[in-house]
């Protein structure tokens, strides 16, 4: 937890991605895409119908967030992570499209973890409930697709030093398990 | 009899939507600061520090504490000497939420249908809990209740043979299954007794009590302290990263019950435990 790894998104350095280990602190810079429940459902429908996606997911980092609107003079409102497990049913097919990083909070399913190992992707955790603080690392925000979904649209966020923790690495190691096992005193 | 215009309720609700979403209540801030001092995990300490920093930045900037302004719950304790004039109470409250969320740049998180549907954009409809009380005042409380922690909350109709042990097991299982998705450290609201529909409200109301204010019922207060210790031995810690501070408090609201049942509801509240009250 002492060293901080700087990661540029989208991730072109697959070697660096594979060197990340569960529990490492990272700072993300570059561009992130956003999607939550409704956008995932639409991406799934398009894939089912063998239609082109409105965004290219190759090497991308996908942040599970529905940002609050920006007050005048700000880029975006509060923008913290939402629960990742709700995206689990859709995640393997998006990893198959080249997605390399997902960012959220909470456990992932066994199916998602094994798909991550297969596609050499990582899952990063951002702290839930600190959306105001996280919004300061967002330097630009624009809607890329599904604008009618409002906060659930797909945004492109330009970030600088967005703080996160490696929760699942490319070997499938899970930091929640490691972290909690050290402090569990019952059951 | 005292005449109160519902427009005053609209104004109060609008202002409470802003303050509740941007100012962390002092009791919650104090509890988080105490947890920061007590936490044994280094990652846990850093996580709690970020949560405290977020509260300070939100207060200073007016940016919402959390992008999820939740379902807006509005509790109205209306003195029976009060005569409300100027329109429907329900409409007045919805107008207050609409105005509060819009003018404070809060996210609309409400879809207009139970499935599918469109985002209403202004977080309406809010859910109202009107209650007739003694006196001639109107007490308005706004609680923005986030979706993540509510999704992990659970209700069970337990039976007398299982006793308190069954309640205890259900509680720990709920917190354990919720894990990081509920955004710990939590405030755990427990409703105990009543009926299937009522026990959920009891659990929700349990979350309104300030942290550090003891339960008026000594037996329930003892249970709260014991169950808090048990929860904090699960090792989940701040954000589920591991640690001793899984919950800041356990609050129980009890009620009489049917001879056949022990209804129990566990309503988990994330660390962004937002609430605001004014008395009119």
């Amino acid at each position: 937890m002492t060293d901080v790894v700087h990661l540029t998104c989208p991730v072109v350095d697959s070697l660096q991605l594979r060197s990340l280990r569960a529990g490492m602190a990272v700072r993300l810079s570059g561009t992130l895409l956003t999607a939550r429940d409704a956008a995932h459902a639409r991406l799934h429908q398009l894939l089912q119908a063998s239609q082109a996606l409105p965004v290219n997911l190759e090497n991308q980092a996908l942040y599970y967030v529905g940002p609050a609107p920006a007050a005048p003079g700000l880029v975006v409102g509060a923008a913290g992570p939402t629960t990742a497990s709700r995206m689990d049913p859709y995640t393997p097919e998006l990893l198959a499209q080249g997605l390399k990083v997902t960012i959220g909070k909470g456990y992932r399913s066994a199916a998602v973890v094994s798909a991550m190992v297969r596609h050499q992707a990582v899952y990063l955790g951002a702290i839930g409930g600190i959306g105001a603080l996280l919004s300061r690392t967002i330097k630009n925000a624009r809607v890329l697709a599904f604008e009618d979904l409002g906060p659930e649209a797909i945004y492109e966020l330009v970030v600088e030093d967005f703080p996160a923790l490696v929760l699942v690495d490319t070997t499938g190691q899970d930091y929640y398990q490691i972290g909690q096992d050290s402090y569990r005193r019952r059951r | 009899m005292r005449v109160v215009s519902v427009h005053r309720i609209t104004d109060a609700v609008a202002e409470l939507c802003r303050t509740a979403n941007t100012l962390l209540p002092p009791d919650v801030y104090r509890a988080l600061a105490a947890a920061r001092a007590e936490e044994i995990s280094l990652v846990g300490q850093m996580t709690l520090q970020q949560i405290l920093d977020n509260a300070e930045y939100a207060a200073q900037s007016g940016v919402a504490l959390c992008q999820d302004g939740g379902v807006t719950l509005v509790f109205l304790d209306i003195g029976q000497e009060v005569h409300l004039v100027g329109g429907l109470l329900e409409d007045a409250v919805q107008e207050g939420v609409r105005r509060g969320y819009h003018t404070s740049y809060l996210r609309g998180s409400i879809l207009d249908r139970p499935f599918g549907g469109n985002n209403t954009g202004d977080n309406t409809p809010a859910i109202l809990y009107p209650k007739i009380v003694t006196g001639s005042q109107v007490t308005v409380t706004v609680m923005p209740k986030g979706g993540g922690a509510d999704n992990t909350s659970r209700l069970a109709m337990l039976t007398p043979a299982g006793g308190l042990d069954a309640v205890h097991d259900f509680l720990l299982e709920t917190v354990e299954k919720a894990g990081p998705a509920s955004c710990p450290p939590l405030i755990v609201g427990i409703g105990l007794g009543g009926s299937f529909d009522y026990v959920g409200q009891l659990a929700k109301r349990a979350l309104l009590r300030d942290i550090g204010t003891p339960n008026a019922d000594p037996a329930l207060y003892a249970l709260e302290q014991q169950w808090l210790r048990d929860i904090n031995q699960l090792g989940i810690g701040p954000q589920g990263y591991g640690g001793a501070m899984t919950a800041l408090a356990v609050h129980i609201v009890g009620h009489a019950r049917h001879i056949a049942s022990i209804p129990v509801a566990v309503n988990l509240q994330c660390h962004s435990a937002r609430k605001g009250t004014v008395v009119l």
Side-chain angles (χ1 to χ4, degrees), chain B:
Chain B
M1 194 181 70
R2 179 176 169 235
V3 174
V4 176
S5 165
V6 294
H7 300 300
R8 287 189 62 196
I9 294 179
T10 298
D11 293 346
V13 167
E15 178 63 3
L16 285 171
C17 288
R18 181 186 73 80
T19 53
N21 276 292
T22 52
L23 304 172
L24 198 66
D27 64 305
V28 180
Y29 189 92
R30 276 195 303 273
L32 285 163
R36 160 76 179 77
E38 220 179 305
E39 179 56 63
I40 45 177
S41 144
L42 197 63
V43 179
Q45 288 168 13
M46 288 166 58
T47 301
L48 289 163
Q49 188 57 52
Q50 297 263 288
I51 292 170
L52 292 167
D53 290 350
N54 184 66
E56 269 157 37
Y57 177 64
Q60 157 220 320
S61 66
V63 173
L65 288 154
C66 180
Q67 70 289 343
D68 184 5
V71 176
T72 310
L73 306 178
V74 183
F75 298 85
L76 299 144
D77 288 358
I78 303 165
Q80 62 179 3
E81 306 301 324
V82 172
H83 180 205
L84 294 173
V85 298
L88 264 185
L89 174 65
E90 167 88 27
D91 294 347
V93 169
Q94 301 299 356
E95 179 54 28
V97 171
R98 188 173 293 121
R99 196 199 295 165
Y101 273 66
H102 181 72
T103 58
S104 302
Y105 298 91
L106 302 170
R107 189 183 81 183
S109 305
I110 304 297
L111 301 170
D112 59 2
R113 297 278 303 144
F115 57 91
N118 297 309
N119 196 315
T120 62
D122 54 20
N123 225 49
T124 60
I127 296 176
L128 275 64
Y129 294 93
K131 189 170 145 187
I132 304 299
V133 299
T134 57
S136 56
Q137 293 179 324
V138 179
T139 304
V140 185
T141 297
V142 167
M143 175 194 250
K145 186 69 178 72
D150 242 27
N151 271 359
T152 57
S153 300
R154 295 201 305 161
L155 190 156
M157 298 302 286
L158 303 178
T159 51
L164 268 183
D165 286 349
V167 176
H168 176 261
D169 290 353
F170 180 74
L171 165 67
L172 288 200
E173 195 182 281
T174 302
V175 174
E176 176 97 60
K177 283 178 76 165
S182 57
C183 274
L186 307 168
I187 302 170
V188 181
I190 302 174
L192 210 49
S195 57
F196 177 80
D197 56 301
Y198 194 55
V199 73
Q201 269 198 53
L202 297 180
K204 189 86 29 170
R205 284 190 183 272
L207 298 173
L208 291 176
R209 198 173 96 214
D210 282 354
I211 302 174
T213 305
N215 197 318
D217 181 326
L220 294 182
Y221 187 50
L223 278 180
E224 289 177 354
Q225 291 174 305
Q226 185 200 320
W227 290 351
L228 177 62
R229 280 194 294 273
D230 293 347
I231 286 169
N232 283 338
Q233 289 191 342
L234 291 172
I236 296 167
Q239 286 299 300
Y241 296 156
M245 295 291 114
T246 302
L248 303 171
V250 172
H251 289 173
I252 306 173
V253 174
H255 196 272
R257 63 188 170 90
H258 189 275
I259 48 178
S261 341
I262 303 181
V264 55
V266 179
N267 195 194
L268 300 181
Q269 170 64 61
C270 63
H271 62 75
S272 198
R274 293 154 286 172
K275 62 188 175 193
T277 296
V278 293
V279 179
L280 301 177

